[in-house]
Amino acid sequence: MGVAKKYTNMYILKASGGYQIKCIPSARAFFEEQFPNEDDYRETEIQNILLNQFKDPDFPNIIQSAKAGLCLRCYISHYIIAPCKRLGFFGGGSSFTYQDLLPWVLNDDGKKLIIIDEQEPII
């Protein structure tokens, strides 16, 4: 379950500050259903499949599309921490740290499903 962790675990902001990695059960179940043999896929294939499913509200229904999006949201969360740390580091003598940035960019808890409408996202 190496690659799957990126699509089923999400970096989540802790109320006390900082962050934690949390398994999102609905993302995990969906991912395992879609990719029972994840080793058969390159990571770019997984991303393309999930993105196409997310963009298609008729796959096979809107809830499944939103779950594909949830897997992608998990994936993206893994790439938020490092840039924040770099920005905080370059802030050097300034009065902010990377933890000050996290509430602005790490604000997804994985609890809501999101779908895309041609006009705007629906939460």
Side-chain angles (χ1 to χ4, degrees), residues 30 34 49-68 114-118:
F30 178 82
Q34 297 302 306
I49 290 167
L50 289 172
L51 183 59
N52 288 331
Q53 291 170 341
F54 179 52
K55 291 172 25 178
D56 181 2
D58 297 325
F59 156 79
N61 60 56
I62 204 162
I63 300 297
Q64 294 296 89
S65 296
K67 287 180 181 178
I114 298 173
I115 58 169
I116 291 185
D117 184 319
E118 288 183 24

